[in-house]
Amino acid sequence: MPVPWFLLSLALGRSPVVLSLERLVGPQDATHCSPGLSCRLWDSDILCLPGDIVPAPGPVLAPTHLQTELVLRCQKETDCDLCLRVAVHLAVHASLQAQVVLSFQAYPTARCVLLEVQVPAALVQFGQSVGSVVYDCFEAALGSEVRIWSYTQPRYEKELNHTQQLPDCRGLEVWNSIPSCWALPWLNVSADGDNVHLVLNVSEEQHFGLSLYWNQTGPQIITLNHTDLVPCLCIQVWPLEPDSVRTNICPFREDPRAHQNLWQAARLQLLTLQSWLLDAPCSLPAEAALCWRAPGGDPCQPLVPPLSWENVTVDKVLEFPLLKGHPNLCVQVNSSEKLQLQECLWADSLGPLKDDVLLLETRGPQDNRSLCALEPSGCTSLPSKASTRAARLGEYLLQDLQSGQCLQLWDDDLGALWACPMDKYIHKRWALVWLACLLFAAALSLILLLKKDHAKGWLRLLKQDVRSGAAARGRAALLLYSADDSGFERLVGALASALCQLPLRVAVDLWSRRELSAQGPVAWFHAQRRQTLQEGGVVVLLFSPGAVALCSEWLQDGVSGPGAHGPHDAFRASLSCVLPDFLQGRAPGSYVGACFDRLLHPDAVPALFRTVPVFTLPSQLPDFLGALQQPRAPRSGRLQERAEQVSRALQPALDSYFHPPGTPAPGRGVGPGAGPGAGDGT
């Protein structure tokens, strides 16, 4: 009986690897079928319109199974394309959908072919297979996924479907017969010390492309700096021929050096009090949590629990449920169960680490709650009879918590975090020490009176001890700046925090807002300047475009008591304390100037303020730190090392200020020669 048409539908996708393939010669499609059946391929493609399911009028021929095979269609020996052969197995059923359609869909094309099959009446056995029809063949792209549907037309039942993954060039034994695969053996990666070579073994006459973009002939060796390697760095290579397939490899995905470079380039950036993001060259699986870092070099202790680890996505804003920031709060980022990154994001704006104790409050049912103090040895319950510092001061800490002297950092239904200051207890302890020292000094004076011959020698030794003690405490430095914007304030905070790691005692209004509000800007700056200069310290004028504009305005107008207008009031108030020292020639030796590379050239600083050295940062950090030392202090051999330490601490803030998130940043690098030019330095 004659049986209707077949339509075979193929859509691109991914599937298995084939090593060697049968070759078909010629560009024409063809079909053949089982013995006893007759079949033919229609000359042209048809529209791919399956239509709705309709009732079968009687026994019909229907597809029961799809089978695929990869073959090569070759114009000549070395000019072949990958092709998909499809076999449709048939049976005669009752009440089936009819009219079988083969539909091909492959990016960027789609086509349907129609196969006409006729089954002799002698072969018709109800419900039994009567044979198959084979279609040669559908050309598809290397590495693609092919989806195949088969149904009759008209459609009497749901179509059959099959998915076939085509191999790429690396999965084929006959890659040399497919021109688009010729680029595969060209590329090889080799190591030479710290450098990685990409070796392209290309014949003299062959042109090739590389994804950076490279257009050359003949063999080439491309050298990559080992610091540029990251796991997501991939290479794409292809022959410069029409419609050629591009071969992609990512050879550094598991390279330990690439992962090390990735984390060295990664940065944490604080956006607001609660929000921050991870800036890294590649996407990577990671998780982050808050930790508490106490002064003294102890490891940062994760606050898990009560807080939890959060999954991190590169360049996506994340939030921690904090009520307040604290310089001792840091962010830890783990990947592959290993600590990769740790930064104290709030230290730049809130100052150096504080000697505070973190109290963890745990809340249970029926309003039950317990408190413990976080220490290097663990969380000490309060009150406690243990011998730790928090246990000895437990009663005072609980009193401070009840009286509202502790800062609440986090709160939810399960608990809370509190930061309680320890400074006053340390001051009480030192008061006892000083009292003992005074008693000892009085007793020593009595002894010296009895031994006048040795009095001068003892006084000389005492004077030397006082001087050495002052040097050990570090020189006082008062940092004055104009708050041009919030980003510049964070940059100033980062510089002040970095200088605190050196033997310097830094004062900046950013860390004393409460005293500044209580006393007023003029009174606060006058008291700080007088104390700094009396102790032999130095006043640092940090110039910015806003500071230069205010200085020029003050010098032109001669205003000594400016009103409270705008964000620069604090710096404007400091000018009334600073300018008399410059006008009367008292500034040299007690003042230095500084400005940031790429933000302001030293020549833009008013001439009156260039009577003291003006340094550009970070390009002149060694000279700047040398000027902050005690006037008669010997030049330290560690000055360059300290400059590099300050530069590393300052770099994230510089990157954030000059290249905010979402903007392309040029190569990083600070140190001598990184700025636009040398500072004034005179």
Side-chain angles (χ1 to χ4, degrees):
M1 84 181 55
V3 203
W5 322 98
F6 281 132
L7 188 71
L8 180 64
S9 171
L10 295 104
L12 276 180
R14 296 186 174 269
S15 198
V17 171
V18 177
L19 295 180
S20 59
L21 305 178
E22 178 184 342
R23 294 172 181 263
L24 303 178
V25 180
Q28 299 299 322
D29 293 351
T31 184
H32 60 275
C33 47
S34 302
L37 302 182
S38 61
C39 56
R40 72 180 181 90
L41 174 66
W42 277 36
D43 295 336
S44 60
D45 293 352
I46 66 171
L47 294 177
C48 301
L49 300 174
D52 297 328
I53 296 177
V54 297
V60 294
L61 184 64
T64 59
H65 177 63
L66 290 177
Q67 186 175 355
T68 59
E69 179 184 0
L70 293 177
V71 296
L72 290 179
R73 170 174 285 170
C74 301
Q75 306 298 325
K76 54 184 179 179
E77 183 68 19
T78 60
D79 187 8
C80 302
D81 293 303
L82 194 63
C83 208
L84 188 64
R85 170 184 290 166
V86 180
V88 183
H89 296 265
L90 308 170
V92 175
H93 286 188
S95 301
L96 287 178
Q97 297 98 335
Q99 240 182 351
V100 181
V101 177
L102 301 182
S103 170
F104 295 87
Q105 297 177 355
Y107 179 82
T109 61
R111 57 183 297 228
C112 292
V113 298
L114 191 61
L115 305 177
E116 183 177 355
V117 183
Q118 188 170 6
V119 183
L123 295 180
V124 174
Q125 297 182 13
F126 182 76
Q128 299 295 319
S129 174
V130 295
S132 62
V133 59
V134 177
Y135 169 74
D136 283 331
C137 59
F138 172 61
E139 295 182 12
L142 291 164
S144 62
E145 183 180 84
V146 179
R147 293 181 182 177
I148 307 166
W149 295 272
S150 177
Y151 52 92
T152 59
Q153 183 178 348
R155 192 156 64 98
Y156 298 124
E157 65 176 13
K158 186 176 181 181
E159 68 271 11
L160 297 177
N161 64 79
H162 177 75
T163 301
Q164 174 75 41
Q165 175 71 48
L166 303 188
D168 58 17
C169 294
R170 286 170 290 185
L172 294 174
E173 187 180 77
V174 290
W175 60 265
N176 56 345
S177 298
I178 303 177
S180 59
C181 288
W182 290 350
L184 178 66
W186 298 349
L187 191 60
N188 186 30
V189 180
S190 63
D192 180 15
D194 287 335
N195 294 322
V196 174
H197 299 304
L198 304 182
V199 181
L200 300 180
N201 185 18
V202 184
S203 61
E204 293 290 343
E205 68 278 2
Q206 178 65 56
H207 292 256
F208 66 91
L210 191 66
S211 194
L212 284 181
Y213 172 92
W214 208 264
N215 189 349
Q216 294 287 345
T217 59
Q220 299 289 328
I221 295 180
I222 303 169
T223 301
L224 298 179
N225 192 307
H226 71 96
T227 59
D228 296 330
L229 304 183
V230 290
C232 59
L233 177 63
C234 299
I235 303 153
Q236 188 180 78
V237 63
W238 67 97
L240 295 182
E241 311 237 347
D243 299 326
S244 60
V245 175
R246 303 192 177 198
T247 300
N248 298 276
I249 62 171
C250 300
F252 313 109
R253 196 183 304 274
E254 304 299 332
D255 192 321
R257 294 173 302 174
H259 284 269
Q260 182 179 0
N261 292 339
L262 170 64
W263 286 110
Q264 287 178 347
R267 293 287 184 272
L268 297 178
Q269 297 183 11
L270 182 66
L271 304 179
T272 64
L273 169 66
Q274 296 178 324
S275 62
W276 59 281
L277 62 79
L278 173 62
D279 180 17
C282 304
S283 297
L284 66 167
E287 54 183 6
L290 287 174
C291 65
W292 180 264
R293 183 181 176 189
D298 292 323
C300 199
Q301 297 174 274
L303 301 180
V304 180
L307 300 177
S308 60
W309 289 98
E310 301 289 343
N311 292 329
V312 177
T313 303
V314 172
D315 293 332
K316 179 180 179 181
V317 177
L318 303 170
E319 291 189 356
F320 282 124
L322 292 176
L323 301 176
K324 298 286 185 180
H326 194 282
N328 294 30
L329 282 175
C330 306
V331 177
Q332 287 183 337
V333 179
N334 282 10
S335 181
S336 301
E337 299 183 354
K338 180 181 179 182
L339 177 62
Q340 301 287 1
L341 196 61
Q342 175 179 301
E343 291 187 25
C344 300
L345 300 178
W346 294 269
D348 289 344
S349 58
L350 300 179
L353 300 179
K354 296 182 179 180
D355 193 15
D356 290 0
V357 171
L358 185 69
L359 300 185
L360 278 68
E361 178 184 347
T362 303
R363 296 167 183 164
Q366 300 179 352
D367 294 332
N368 291 331
R369 72 172 190 167
S370 60
L371 285 167
C372 67
L374 191 65
E375 297 187 281
S377 58
C379 206
T380 304
S381 300
L382 296 181
S384 173
K385 296 182 179 179
S387 58
T388 63
R389 182 180 72 160
R392 291 192 296 269
L393 299 174
E395 181 180 349
Y396 301 105
L397 292 173
L398 294 176
Q399 291 176 359
D400 289 347
L401 180 62
Q402 294 174 357
S403 62
Q405 298 184 42
C406 297
L407 180 66
Q408 188 174 19
L409 306 179
W410 170 78
D411 181 62
D412 76 353
D413 295 337
L414 300 179
L417 295 176
W418 306 81
C420 299
M422 297 288 288
D423 295 343
K424 57 184 179 181
Y425 305 117
I426 297 175
H427 293 161
K428 290 179 180 179
R429 183 182 302 175
W430 280 108
L432 296 176
V433 173
W434 279 110
L435 180 59
C437 292
L438 290 175
L439 293 175
F440 175 75
L444 183 61
S445 299
L446 292 176
I447 296 175
L448 291 177
L449 290 175
L450 298 176
K451 297 183 178 181
K452 293 182 180 180
D453 294 341
H454 302 287
K456 292 183 179 180
W458 280 102
L459 289 175
R460 264 195 311 272
L461 291 175
L462 183 60
K463 186 176 182 180
Q464 292 177 358
D465 289 343
V466 170
R467 286 180 176 175
S468 62
R473 290 189 300 122
R475 191 182 189 191
L478 174 60
L479 190 59
L480 304 182
Y481 69 97
S482 169
D484 290 6
D485 51 55
S486 59
F488 188 72
E489 278 193 314
R490 287 194 292 270
L491 189 57
V492 173
L495 176 62
S497 298
L499 295 178
C500 285
Q501 308 302 319
L502 308 177
L504 289 171
R505 292 178 289 117
V506 180
V508 61
D509 70 320
L510 196 62
W511 300 342
S512 305
R513 292 291 169 85
R514 183 179 300 175
E515 295 85 348
L516 191 70
S517 300
Q519 301 177 19
V522 175
W524 186 86
F525 279 115
H526 180 70
Q528 292 293 325
R529 168 192 158 278
R530 180 176 58 186
Q531 179 180 351
T532 300
L533 297 182
Q534 285 178 351
E535 295 178 358
V538 61
V539 179
V540 180
L541 299 178
L542 190 57
F543 289 100
S544 63
V548 169
L550 286 173
C551 291
S552 301
E553 176 187 342
W554 204 99
L555 291 172
Q556 290 173 4
D557 298 340
V559 180
S560 59
H565 302 288
H568 312 295
D569 299 333
F571 181 76
R572 190 192 299 261
S574 71
L575 291 178
S576 63
C577 304
V578 169
L579 283 173
D581 291 337
F582 281 87
L583 295 172
Q584 299 173 19
R586 298 194 303 265
S590 300
Y591 288 79
V592 296
C595 57
F596 289 107
D597 294 323
R598 296 182 290 170
L599 183 62
L600 186 74
H601 195 279
D603 291 342
V605 176
L608 176 64
F609 296 98
R610 282 186 272 129
T611 57
V612 301
V614 179
F615 303 97
T616 56
L617 307 180
S619 60
Q620 289 187 314
L621 263 175
D623 295 332
F624 175 66
L625 298 182
L628 297 185
Q629 288 186 334
Q630 296 285 353
R632 290 178 295 276
R635 193 77 168 181
S636 172
R638 298 182 56 195
L639 199 57
Q640 183 63 36
E641 178 184 344
R642 290 175 175 172
E644 293 175 356
Q645 176 184 350
V646 173
S647 178
R648 287 193 300 270
L650 193 59
Q651 187 60 53
L654 287 169
D655 290 343
S656 177
Y657 183 75
F658 289 108
H659 308 288
T663 62
R668 296 184 177 95
V670 296
D680 218 300
T682 57

